[in-house]
Amino acid sequence: MAVNPDFWRGRKVLLTGHTGFKGGWLALWLRQLGADLRGFALPAATTPSLWQVAQLDQQITGEFADIRDAARLSDVLLEFQPELVLHLAAQPLVRESYRAPAETYATNVMGTLNLLEAIRSSDSVRAVVVVTTDKCYENREWPWPYREQDALGGFDPYSSSKACVEVLCASYRDSFLRASGVALATARAGNVLGGGDWSAERLIPDIFSAWQQGREVILRYPHATRPWQHVLDPLMGYLQLAQGLLTDPERHAAAWNFGPDSAGLATVEAVVRRLAELWPGEALWSISADAQPHEAGLLALDSSKARQSLGWAPRWSLDTTLKHTLDWQLAWQNGRDMACVTREQIAAHQGEIQ
């Protein structure tokens, strides 16, 4: 099941979180596919942002509002009458969840609840994809990848909030949505990389910021192993899953993993080493000796179900992912048209398999 432009052309889609990193890439892709798109999100959280530098504000019709505002969310669904909802709005940072746990739960759990309640009252919505995270699993630090039926959990507030979202979605699917003809699926992806991410305390933005200024990168978790993937790989999965929900809802209304193969697993230190080899200048880094908040040491996803049932597979290797991420960053630093660069990378991703 490839991403089908004929499926998306003219289809009414509500995308929450369209001003964020993943949401921005997805918004531009949906625009290219010809979807009738409406966004719902807070203003971009960083300066600069993908929303700004790729000129998404000139291409995407959006609502600047908080997912915690149940009344406004309900009004937007009533006004726009979308057939499909893609829910990406979230507080997405582990370390921020330690500083603001109540806000993290309010945004991630209650925000999703607000959306599901609005959908219950909607006559137009037929399918919804709720994006969570690979961190929703109860991480036992075992060496094999997690499957969709494995136990949910979460040590830090961010991870546990996303596990709560998974339980919430399963309950609403079984209790309300299936009976009313709405197909709901959740999507769990790994650590996404790509151009246009300026989030604080994330590895790639921290690396680029430091090296651009001639500073040393301090690694907090050098031996943590993660399933790294280019942002376009899971986004392709979300689009394929949404197509499946509308064409065969009973088969696709479930939880889905979208992670890289084993070659995409690498430690933080290994990723920094590879980027340092590509960086066009001095690239200094060292390992922090300070104590850090808990984060999982080993985490991997089993995406066999998505491969077999959706025909999904990651298209870019880790090395290709790092190269495209760096190319995007350097293009921005050199003053290129970033809307054009971003569209070019989407086209490259869909046109080649590496």
Side-chain angles (χ1 to χ4, degrees):
M1 185 190 296
V3 175
N4 181 3
D6 291 335
F7 173 92
W8 293 98
R9 192 171 297 115
R11 194 173 297 274
K12 299 189 80 169
V13 180
L14 176 68
L15 171 63
T16 73
H18 67 292
T19 59
F21 166 53
K22 289 176 75 174
W25 277 90
L26 185 54
L28 191 59
W29 196 345
L30 286 166
R31 187 76 177 82
Q32 283 187 256
L33 291 167
D36 182 0
L37 180 64
R38 177 77 64 89
F40 187 101
L42 292 171
T46 63
T47 302
S49 66
L50 180 63
W51 175 257
Q52 169 205 347
V53 303
Q55 303 167 17
L56 292 171
D57 56 333
Q58 301 175 27
Q59 305 173 63
I60 310 299
T61 300
E63 178 88 7
F64 287 146
D66 196 319
I67 197 73
R68 294 172 293 181
D69 186 343
R72 186 60 197 136
L73 186 56
S74 183
D75 287 345
V76 167
L77 261 75
L78 183 63
E79 294 165 9
F80 182 52
Q81 294 286 299
E83 183 181 13
L84 179 63
V85 177
L86 302 173
H87 178 42
L88 276 68
Q91 191 299 94
L93 302 174
V94 171
R95 291 170 72 89
E96 178 63 20
S97 77
Y98 281 111
R99 289 188 289 266
E103 182 176 349
T104 298
Y105 286 106
T107 299
N108 295 351
V109 183
M110 295 308 298
T112 303
L113 177 62
N114 291 339
L115 177 64
L116 297 180
E117 278 291 285
I119 288 170
R120 283 184 67 197
S121 303
S122 169
D123 295 327
S124 65
V125 177
R126 293 176 54 210
V128 53
V129 176
V130 175
V131 174
T132 63
T133 176
D134 59 342
K135 298 174 182 63
C136 69
Y137 291 105
E138 180 185 351
N139 194 335
R140 302 179 182 177
E141 303 283 351
W142 56 30
W144 51 84
Y146 292 89
R147 300 168 296 175
E148 287 86 352
Q149 64 266 36
D150 284 329
L152 301 173
F155 183 100
D156 58 87
Y158 166 73
S159 301
S160 66
S161 76
K162 288 296 192 173
C164 291
V165 170
E166 288 282 350
V167 174
L168 171 64
C169 287
S171 174
Y172 264 65
R173 179 171 53 234
D174 294 340
S175 299
F176 307 114
L177 299 183
R178 182 179 285 116
S180 62
V182 179
L184 183 153
T186 56
R188 307 161 180 176
N191 283 42
V192 294
L193 310 178
D197 185 6
W198 280 279
S199 300
E201 298 176 325
R202 272 190 178 154
L203 179 63
I204 301 303
D206 286 352
I207 290 172
F208 288 159
S209 175
W211 290 350
Q212 186 180 359
Q213 299 173 42
R215 294 186 289 105
E216 183 179 59
V217 173
I218 308 299
L219 304 185
R220 298 187 297 265
Y221 305 96
H223 306 301
T225 299
R226 295 286 184 270
W228 308 98
Q229 57 192 148
H230 194 275
V231 63
L232 290 172
D233 275 334
L235 294 184
M236 178 176 67
Y238 305 163
L239 294 174
Q240 291 175 260
L241 177 56
Q243 292 173 188
L245 284 173
L246 285 179
T247 56
D248 189 355
E250 281 302 312
R251 182 183 178 193
H252 294 94
W256 298 79
N257 286 341
F258 296 100
D261 55 29
S262 58
L265 287 173
T267 65
V268 168
E269 183 176 356
V271 168
V272 175
R273 288 184 182 275
R274 294 187 198 188
L275 274 177
E277 294 171 357
L278 298 171
W279 185 259
E282 189 174 44
L284 302 176
W285 58 274
S286 64
I287 296 172
S288 173
D290 297 333
Q292 302 293 331
H294 174 273
E295 285 196 21
L298 176 63
L299 185 60
L301 293 178
D302 183 334
S303 303
S304 299
K305 185 169 79 166
R307 291 171 180 270
Q308 295 168 8
S309 298
L310 295 174
W312 175 87
R315 291 195 165 189
W316 282 348
S317 68
L318 178 55
D319 284 340
T320 303
T321 291
L322 294 176
K323 181 180 184 304
H324 279 286
T325 301
L326 179 58
D327 287 348
W328 196 101
Q329 176 71 18
L330 296 177
W332 171 68
Q333 291 177 201
N334 292 328
R336 287 194 57 193
D337 180 336
M338 296 315 298
C340 180
V341 171
T342 307
R343 286 194 296 267
E344 287 172 355
Q345 291 204 351
I346 293 172
H349 182 270
Q350 290 299 284
E352 65 181 353
I353 299 178
Q354 295 189 26

